[in-house]
Amino acid sequence: MKFDAIVLGGGIVGTSVALQLQRRGVKVALVDRKAPGNETSLGNAGLIQREGVYPYAFPRDFASLARYAGNRATDARYHPMAIPKLAPFLFKYWHHSRADRHAQIAKAYSTLIEHSVSEHRALIEAAGAQNLLRKGGWIKAFRTNRAFENAVVEASRWADEYGVEYDILQDDTLRRAEPSISSVLRAAVRYSASDSVSDPAGLVDAYAKLFEQLGGTILLGDAFTLQPGWRVNTQSGMAEAEYVVLAMGPWSGDLTSKLGYSLPLEVKRGYHMHYAAQPGATLNQPVLDAEVGYMITPMLRGIRLTTGVELGFRDSPKTPVQLEAVEPIARDVFPLGERLDAEPWLGRRPCTPDMMPVIGPAPHHKNLWFAFGHAHHGLTLGPITGRVIAEAITGEAATVDLRPFRADRF
């Protein structure tokens, strides 16, 4: 089976790359071991974060470091056995998180973020998936005045630097926005220019269906059979193409290592669980309980509770202690009913130490392209990543300068 391009990885990034290439007349095969949207892209909070110009940094103040070191924080936990392996990565992450370095990273990162909502909306309209889109932003809510005031200062700075839109919700305005939320959340910043979706996996599926309608081919196969030339084994036979795009999320490092690259890619693990809402209770938009570190989001399946970060080996068994810790807190904030899932879902966010994705050509292989390492913003950046990869491969004028995201920066 001969194609112009093979995209390895059927998450939001890989599916978006395949779709953006196919829309430009490139004959594309999308290859994964599962149907699109059934790994990391299945389990996020559904946010398309136009405000996310500053990627999530490693804490540098002593008080935060001491709190996390005790391994009892609700927003971040770690597996002690994994820390020796993760230590070099975490040190580099800490290094890049210094305020001046973080600000420089934001200048590059914002060039992607500014297109996140518009690119999603264009694909959502083309895919006929408007029923999954929720406009109007998301709420970052606080329990104490001090934390709220710090968040307002931060939002104001982001607005001045990058045009990030936000609203202030206090007392009656917060109650009107979310009447079922407890008054323990006293005030909030709403990032009004962001969007969210009610079924992230369903959105990937809608993009995949549009890809097929445009003539694209979805194949089940093993990306690790990739051979230069470029060929990969699938259940339907050998697929060959001139170009290959590696967009395998947290598994990308395994294949790049096989190809001779040493890229600093680790994972942040996270969990979710769905709940019924108690009779009469409504949740209108995603709400982050910022000082505890979990989010509740209205999804088609129910209210999705997503946890913070768990640092550990990618393939270690589930240890959903964060979910168990925050569930009773979340029940005090919103009237959650019964659990709807048989067990917590575990996902793995692929991360680089400078908080930016790897997007661009492979340094040592012709016609091999990388698109991974999007950390918390995989859903947010999927379509714009797909667009810039497609533009580069087809020779179109570039929407975004890819030089800051190239693999050879490491």
Side-chain angles (χ1 to χ4, degrees):
M1 297 179 291
K2 295 187 180 296
F3 301 90
D4 299 322
I6 295 170
V7 178
L8 301 176
I12 182 62
V13 174
T15 301
S16 295
V17 170
L19 175 55
Q20 297 280 30
L21 283 166
Q22 193 70 35
R23 294 180 89 195
R24 288 161 172 78
V26 179
K27 184 180 179 183
V28 183
L30 178 61
V31 179
D32 202 339
R33 60 186 178 182
K34 296 182 179 179
N38 280 282
E39 281 287 0
T40 308
S41 295
L42 187 148
N44 53 72
L47 301 182
I48 302 170
Q49 293 187 255
R50 172 61 185 87
E51 89 294 337
V53 290
Y54 278 82
Y56 296 105
F58 195 94
R60 291 183 61 96
D61 63 286
F62 180 79
S64 295
L65 292 172
R67 182 169 67 90
Y68 292 127
N71 209 20
R72 292 183 174 274
T74 49
D75 57 341
R77 295 284 181 100
Y78 61 87
H79 292 179
M81 295 294 292
I83 294 303
K85 176 181 180 295
L86 295 177
F89 174 89
L90 294 175
F91 176 76
K92 292 175 184 176
Y93 185 10
W94 175 85
H95 170 82
H96 287 293
S97 296
R98 198 176 74 183
D100 58 335
R101 298 186 183 111
H102 198 203
Q104 285 298 117
I105 288 167
K107 288 182 179 180
Y109 201 68
S110 64
T111 63
L112 291 171
I113 288 288
E114 68 176 314
H115 300 286
S116 57
V117 169
S118 58
E119 288 298 315
H120 262 293
R121 288 185 180 180
L123 292 188
I124 285 171
E125 182 175 357
Q130 293 91 335
N131 62 310
L132 301 179
L133 178 65
R134 184 189 303 110
K135 298 180 180 180
W138 65 278
I139 289 175
K140 188 175 185 178
F142 298 89
R143 296 163 175 260
T144 65
N145 287 335
R146 181 178 180 181
F148 167 65
E149 290 165 0
N150 289 339
V152 172
V153 171
E154 180 181 67
S156 177
R157 179 164 60 91
W158 294 354
D160 291 341
E161 292 177 354
Y162 297 108
V164 172
E165 298 177 16
Y166 71 97
D167 304 322
I168 300 299
L169 303 178
Q170 291 179 278
D171 303 322
D172 290 346
T173 55
L174 180 55
R175 301 281 84 78
R176 284 196 296 270
E178 292 295 344
S180 298
I181 292 291
S182 165
S183 60
V184 69
L185 298 181
R186 304 172 60 180
V189 174
R190 177 170 58 196
Y191 290 108
S192 53
S194 298
D195 286 347
S196 60
V197 295
S198 58
D199 183 0
L203 183 66
V204 178
D205 183 63
Y207 289 173
K209 285 183 168 59
L210 176 60
F211 167 68
E212 290 184 301
Q213 290 168 12
L214 294 174
T217 301
I218 296 176
L219 299 170
L220 295 179
D222 181 1
F224 292 96
T225 64
L226 180 70
Q227 298 293 328
W230 295 101
R231 304 183 304 275
V232 64
N233 291 336
T234 77
Q235 292 183 7
S236 302
M238 180 73 73
E240 301 180 16
E242 180 180 0
Y243 295 91
V244 64
V245 182
L246 201 163
M248 296 167 59
W251 294 275
S252 298
D254 295 349
L255 187 50
T256 56
S257 294
K258 180 182 175 182
L259 293 170
Y261 297 93
S262 179
L263 300 177
L265 192 70
E266 294 291 350
V267 302
K268 296 179 184 176
R269 291 158 47 113
Y271 299 85
H272 82 227
M273 172 62 68
H274 290 98
Y275 302 81
Q278 291 186 17
T282 58
L283 187 66
N284 299 317
Q285 59 214 301
V287 175
L288 173 67
D289 189 344
E291 292 171 81
V292 178
Y294 68 88
M295 177 168 273
I296 50 174
T297 304
M299 295 285 183
L300 292 181
R301 179 163 172 75
I303 305 299
R304 178 178 290 184
L305 171 60
T306 56
T307 69
V309 168
E310 180 185 75
L311 297 173
F313 296 124
R314 184 190 63 195
D315 300 324
S316 293
K318 296 178 182 179
T319 53
V321 292
Q322 283 174 292
L323 182 66
E324 301 299 334
V326 300
E327 181 181 306
I329 300 172
R331 289 186 181 278
D332 287 339
V333 167
F334 182 86
L336 296 172
E338 64 179 336
R339 286 187 170 192
L340 300 178
D341 302 327
E343 61 179 2
W345 181 88
L346 167 64
R348 305 154 180 89
R349 309 174 185 100
C351 303
T352 66
D354 66 0
M355 296 161 275
M356 296 200 298
V358 180
I359 306 172
H364 307 303
H365 289 81
K366 183 180 179 181
N367 296 339
L368 172 64
W369 291 76
F370 294 157
F372 52 80
H374 293 72
H376 298 265
H377 289 150
L379 177 63
T380 294
L381 296 177
I384 182 58
T385 299
R387 176 172 180 164
V388 296
I389 289 284
E391 288 172 344
I393 288 177
T394 60
E396 288 184 31
T399 301
V400 174
D401 182 359
L402 288 182
R403 285 176 294 180
F405 310 103
R406 291 170 61 108
D408 55 13
R409 73 181 188 268
F410 299 114

